[in-house]
Structures are given as structure tokens and as C-alpha cells.
Amino acid sequence: MEKIKMTTPIVEMDGDEMTRILWKMIKENLLEPFIDLKTEYYDLGLEKRNETNDQVTVDSALATKKYGVAVKCATITPNAARVEEYGLKEMWKSPNGTIRAILDGTVFRTPIVVKGIEPCVKNWKKPITIARHAYGDVYKNAEMKIPGAGKVELVYTAQDGTQTRELVHQFDGPGVVQGMHNLCGSIESFARSCFNYALDTRQTLWFATKDTISKKYDHTFKDIFQEIFEKEYKEQFDAAGIEYFYTLIDDAVARVMKSEGGYIWACKNYDGDVMSDMISSAFGSLAMMTSVLVSPEGVYEYEAAHGTVQRHYYKHLKGEETSTNSVATIFAWTGALRKRGELDQNQALVEFANKLEKATIDTIESGCMTKDLALITTLEHPTVLNSEDFIKEIAKKL
Ligand code: NAP
Ligand code: MG
């Protein structure tokens, strides 16, 4: 068989630990035999980040801006223990944070739905995608403990020195106070990323905040979304047969529980943090959750939502057998290959991505899966495979 040709490279960001092992297996067994794989390779493994003073992460993000599509392996976000373990020069920042800041993107997380792994919510038939605004609010707050009676105000000092004040509270006794902010520019980018992704995946978009209580802060989010939608996207949404609607967060939560899925739910930073954990665990497993960072200019970076699966890696290093689920990492690759194919009008590449996803799902639905899924499946007598045999089983189907 002749291998599928690529015209433009995908930016490939390698990573750490068990997912780095899976990465290699996926390339060798599922990609390279079929595709003349063209990638621009960046090693974001912790050793290389340390060696390059994290320049490699910045370079990979800039390359993503240049080419438009990247695929990323899970990476270690260093903490004190990792600084010691790897003898790091510094506690390098989270690569995902660095890449997100450079691309100014929004993260979309979608569960992979297969028969035999049933959501806890029985009416959910299709995936629910969460879009989380990744800037500001409580994540960039200023807080104070108030020791006793006194007045707390918000003060805005304009560049010409004029001040505007708003009373927060006249305290009679001790309490707490918090100030937070967001930027119209960041909210606009968030809105455009959401509208673009909805068009791209042909799914209806929901956005919800608490604007009835937060009449300026949350209401600004609502207004910015509405304005951009009407000016730039309404016609395209109509043509695609999809909708955008805004509703109160309470109403959104109630509707989500009663829905059958198949839409994108855009959330403010805190709501997205909390709701994405709810959605992923209710759909079955973190190992079945994909993630894509989309910039307002339409640059895409695909990855798995889970981490480097450290505990499995240590078993692997000891020579013990592992049964680590590679599905989300495979889907990161298929997402990137499909997008590359669409941008380059390379139909063979798009079809290959679809077939690899189907082979992966069919493998699980035929009863062959890794241990994490075997523990929760409703299929009877599943066959539990190790990390490598699961990938080889998919290759057979493919
Ligand atoms: P994790 O790698 O997501 O794994 C947590 C646990 O979830 C695992 O121990 C395993 O449970 C289960 N699990 C996750 N993915 C699995 C898979 N593919 N197959 C089977 N089981 C899976 O999170 P972590 O252990 O908290 O973090 C490890 C490292 O990943 C950290 O250094 C962190 O900084 C990094 N991280 C990176 C990213 C990213 O790059 N996007 C995201 C999150 C975390 P059992 O052990 O019970 O089998
Ligand atoms: Mg969280």
C-alpha cells in the first residue's frame, strides 16, 4: 500500500513518562505504517525543557502559530518533588500555561463516547464539550482578611488621576473581601474561539453566567458574546444550521442534566474548572477525554486531557506490565491529522483520521480494552490488554 502523503507538517510536541512511551508506540504501530508522517518535532520532555531553559516550549508554540496545527503529549508540570527528581535549574512553568498564553487560546474538552462505557446520566447520548475561559476572575484575585470594623471600597484611578469609588461593605466586625478582574480583550478572544469551534464542529453553543446577580461583571461577558455573535457569526451559524444561545447558569445546569448532549457549553473560568471535572467523570473516565486549544485566529493544538500517568510509568520502569489507556492520545493525533487534512484539502488524511478513530472505538466495543475501562464497562467478559497489545489490536482492526 502506498503511504498517505502530507504537504504541511504538524507541530509535534513530545512529552513525559508513560504518555511518552505510548506516544512512540502510537506512531510506530498506528501512524507511520500508513502515513508519510511530516512533523516538526519539539521535545517538551522535562529534561529538554530544563536544558533549553524552557525555550523549546516557547519555540513549539511559535511553530504552532506558523503552521496552524499541533499535537501534544502530556507533560510534567514541575513541583518541588520534580525539581529534586530531575535536578531542575528552576521550577519551570506549566507548558500548557505557556502555550496557552502565546496562542491566547480557549480549551475545549470532549469525552469520547463508546458503547459499553455508559455515562452516569442515562439520557446523555452524545458528548458534551466544555469550553473554559482560561483567564482572570478568581484565578487572578486579590484577597484580604478584614480584622474588624471598617470600610472596604473598590477604587479605580484613571490615568489622569481621577478616581471612581464603589462601596463593597461597611464592616461592623471581622470578615473577608476579594477583588477580581477580567479584560474585554480576553473575553472577546474567548467568544471568537467558541464561535469558531462551534462552526468547525457544527454544534450549537451555549453560554451561561450569573448576570442576574452580577449586573456589570457577568453582564459584560453576556454582552460581548451577543455583540460579536450578531456582528460576525450569526449568518454563518444560520447557514450551518446551528444556534448560539445565552441562558442563566442555573438554567444551563438544569438543561445539561436533561439533555442528550451534542453541544458546546462555554463557561467562565471557575465554572469551567468545576464543570469539566463533573462532565468527564460522569461520562466515565479521564482517560477518554480529549482536549483542544483553539486560538481566536483558528490555530489548533490537540492533546489528551489526562496527565503523564506517573504511577504506571514507575511500574513500566521496574519492568512490570502496564495497561495504560492510549485512546485520548490517539484521538489527539486523529484530531490534528484531520484538521491538517481539512486545511490542506488532503482528503486521504481526513479519511485516515476517521478510520483510526473508528478502529479504536470498534476495538473497545468488541470487548478489547485496557484495565481502567474493563473496571467500568457494562460489556460482559471484557478482554484486558496491556498498553502495547491494546494498540496492536487497534492496528489489526485498522
Ligand atoms: P494523571 O497522569 O492524569 O493520572 C492520574 C491517575 O488517573 C493515574 O494514576 C491513573 O489511575 C488514572 N489515569 C489517567 N490517565 C490514564 C490513562 N491514560 N490510562 C489509565 N489510567 C489513567 O494525573 P497525575 O498522576 O496527577 O499527574 C501526573 C503528571 O501529569 C504530573 O506531573 C502532572 O503535572 C502532569 N499533568 C499533565 C497534564 C498535561 O500535560 N496536560 C495534565 C494533567 C497532569 P491509576 O493509577 O489508579 O491507574
Ligand atoms: Mg479542576
Side-chain angles (χ1 to χ4, degrees), residues 18 21-22 25-26 29-30 316 321-327 330 359-360 363-364 366-371 383-398:
M18 199 59 211
I21 309 284
L22 298 178
M25 289 178 189
I26 291 168
N29 291 283
L30 301 176
H316 172 82
E321 185 169 83
T322 59
S323 180
T324 314
N325 189 334
S326 47
V327 173
I330 294 170
T360 305
T363 300
I364 298 170
S366 77
C368 298
M369 58 192 80
T370 45
K371 192 173 152 199
T383 307
V384 182
L385 298 176
N386 66 34
S387 307
E388 186 162 19
D389 287 347
F390 177 65
I391 290 171
K392 294 209 156 129
E393 195 63 32
I394 297 171
K396 268 194 239 161
K397 275 247 161 31
L398 184 62

Side-chain angles (χ1 to χ4, degrees), residues 107-166:
V107 173
F108 295 83
R109 289 193 157 187
T110 309
I112 300 156
V113 177
V114 297
K115 283 193 210 88
I117 311 295
E118 305 302 331
C120 303
V121 181
K122 64 180 188 308
N123 43 282
W124 287 356
K125 304 282 180 241
K126 295 180 221 157
I128 297 169
T129 297
I130 295 269
R132 173 182 173 192
H133 183 212
Y135 178 84
D137 302 350
V138 70
Y139 302 85
K140 281 212 184 289
N141 67 0
E143 301 184 313
M144 257 192 236
K145 280 193 174 184
I146 304 302
K151 183 166 73 171
V152 175
E153 291 176 295
L154 291 177
V155 182
Y156 164 64
T157 310
Q159 275 179 324
D160 68 3
T162 50
Q163 292 193 328
T164 317
R165 283 162 188 270
E166 180 76 31

Side-chain angles (χ1 to χ4, degrees), residues 261-272:
Y263 50 83
I264 300 162
W265 180 12
C267 293
K268 283 179 62 198
N269 208 350
Y270 172 83
D271 300 335

Side-chain angles (χ1 to χ4, degrees), residues 1 15 23 44 94 187 205 220 240 277-278 301 303 305 338 362 391:
M1 192 189 99
W23 195 259
L44 300 198
S94 147
I187 302 166
L205 176 70
T220 298
D277 284 337
M278 191 268 285
E301 182 247 307
E303 63 178 319
R338 184 187 299 107
D362 286 351
I391 290 171

Side-chain angles (χ1 to χ4, degrees), residues 253-310:
V253 169
R255 287 195 200 206
V256 165
M257 296 312 285
K258 301 210 157 169
S259 75
E260 62 165 41
Y263 50 83
I264 300 162
W265 180 12
C267 293
K268 283 179 62 198
N269 208 350
Y270 172 83
D271 300 335
D273 183 355
V274 176
M275 293 305 173
S276 67
D277 284 337
M278 191 268 285
I279 296 282
S280 69
S281 54
F283 265 103
S285 165
L286 189 60
M288 296 290 280
M289 197 82 177
T290 60
S291 186
V292 54
L293 177 71
V294 182
S295 85
E297 297 88 36
V299 165
Y300 293 74
E301 182 247 307
Y302 294 84
E303 63 178 319
H306 60 77
T308 60
V309 212
Q310 182 181 17

Side-chain angles (χ1 to χ4, degrees), residues 102 185 205 233 344 350 357 376 388:
I102 292 172
L205 176 70
Y233 291 94
D344 296 349
V350 172
E357 288 185 358
I376 58 170
E388 186 162 19

